[in-house]
Amino acid sequence: MKAKQLRPFIIGNWKMHGTQRALRRLDTLAAGLAKQNNKANNAKPRKVDIMICPPATLLLSMAGQLKAAQDAGQQIMLGGQDCHAEASGAHTGDISAPQLRDAGAKASLIGHSERRTDYNETNKQVQAKAAAAHAAGLMAIICIGETLKERRAKATLPVIGKQLRESVPQDKPKDNRLITAKNTVIAYEPVWAIGTGLTPTGEQIAAVHAHIRKALIRRFGAEGERIRILYGGSVKPSNAAQLLAIPHVNGALVGGASLQAGEFLKIIAAAREIG
Ligand code: PEP
């Protein structure tokens, strides 16, 4: 199956890092992107979608900052890190998808392995959260990935297939609620590669991404060819070009390296070079 060229998507997940001071990073990021765009203008740059998912406390301030960057020509989208499955209610400490949207987010990570591990989130809960994100007009970035034990047991593909099947919401044509490449992104993140410095081999990543692509096409037809599949897990400047060149890898979900504007810029620059 030939891999379709899709616009690369690079997402920075700041996790529970950063207070207001961290917003300075965005100025460095916007300035660096301006440089990349100017340099690339002559050479017809590859367009790359860029998003930052900061802690919830920074969403609103960051939305203002990103608006200013956008007015200056640098498009950086804002995303949440999780949302509740309900739109509102008695759920102390939780944030709903409409609240994320109200704060300026365009998307939310859903089912990140840290949520699945720390809060025992099941595929069913992840699916409900993704449906809530869609209902609020947000893009759902649905995270899936195997543990080291599952990889060693050679269960990676079945595990990934089940997570995908059960975590992605069903098409609901009656409610005009369809899964599209605009509202859904899949992030393949092997649990054992997150924050560890370890990455699967290129062949291992290629096999999983091809498996996900096939499953998406089987379920969503032509739309499944356009849904972007990101790789996440210890992506850094030194391995970004290699990882982003793997067939059906349409971008990266970046944790640690997104906390340094310089590192994140290098990963974005690598994405511009692919293709
Ligand atoms: C992540 O948080 O989704 C992630 C992939 O983290 P890291 O890049 O630090 O491995």
Side-chain angles (χ1 to χ4, degrees):
M1 187 192 11
K2 195 164 177 334
K4 205 176 171 72
Q5 280 291 1
L6 303 172
R7 183 185 293 183
F9 197 177
I10 304 294
I11 303 178
N13 174 16
W14 285 12
K15 311 193 187 196
M16 200 174 69
H17 294 293
T19 53
Q20 296 289 319
R21 284 183 54 192
L23 294 172
R24 290 189 211 149
R25 237 179 257 150
L26 275 198
D27 296 330
T28 316
L29 181 61
L33 287 178
K35 259 200 203 154
Q36 286 185 2
N37 285 330
N38 288 342
K39 215 197 280 168
N41 264 345
N42 315 322
K44 286 240 182 225
R46 182 111 193 262
K47 282 203 174 128
V48 175
D49 285 339
I50 300 160
M51 179 177 283
I52 302 286
C53 301
T57 50
L58 298 183
L59 278 169
L60 213 49
S61 332
M62 200 179 265
Q65 231 183 336
L66 293 184
K67 172 79 180 59
Q70 189 181 342
D71 292 345
Q74 303 318 316
Q75 179 83 17
I76 305 168
M77 291 180 279
L78 188 62
Q81 296 182 6
D82 175 49
C83 71
H84 197 276
E86 287 175 30
S88 64
H91 301 290
T92 304
D94 279 314
I95 299 180
S96 74
Q99 287 171 329
L100 286 180
R101 171 117 187 207
D102 184 53
K106 295 273 182 273
S108 184
L109 302 177
I110 309 280
H112 189 282
S113 78
E114 285 151 15
R115 304 270 334 159
R116 290 179 185 261
T117 306
D118 295 355
Y119 300 95
N120 296 316
E121 280 187 13
T122 61
N123 290 337
K124 198 166 173 226
Q125 286 168 318
V126 171
Q127 188 185 47
K129 288 179 175 205
H134 289 159
L138 296 179
M139 174 192 278
I141 299 149
I142 301 171
C143 306
I144 57 177
E146 83 286 2
T147 61
L148 192 54
K149 195 168 165 212
E150 289 162 340
R151 172 150 296 270
R152 285 190 175 141
K154 303 202 184 322
T156 300
L157 296 184
V159 165
I160 294 296
K162 181 172 161 63
Q163 286 181 333
L164 191 66
R165 223 169 23 254
E166 297 180 357
S167 304
V168 178
Q170 304 295 345
D171 269 339
K172 291 211 176 113
K174 265 207 230 133
D175 302 336
N176 210 9
R177 205 74 74 60
L178 298 179
I179 303 305
T180 69
K182 283 215 169 91
N183 68 20
T184 303
V185 166
I186 306 298
Y188 167 55
E189 300 205 297
V191 179
W192 53 276
I194 297 179
T196 59
L198 303 172
T199 51
T201 64
E203 290 77 44
Q204 287 170 331
I205 295 174
V208 175
H209 279 241
H211 189 72
I212 296 172
R213 176 65 68 213
K214 268 194 211 145
L216 289 173
I217 293 172
R218 216 179 301 126
R219 186 160 159 196
F220 301 113
E223 200 61 25
E225 274 190 77
R226 292 189 281 269
I227 293 175
R228 286 175 287 189
I229 309 169
L230 313 187
Y231 168 77
S234 298
V235 177
K236 45 192 181 232
S238 59
N239 62 16
Q242 211 180 339
L243 292 169
L244 291 166
I246 296 171
H248 301 293
V249 172
N250 311 120
L253 178 50
V254 185
S258 71
L259 298 174
Q260 310 266 352
E263 303 253 299
F264 196 53
L265 280 163
K266 283 183 194 155
I267 294 170
I268 295 166
R272 289 191 200 281
E273 298 296 318
I274 307 299

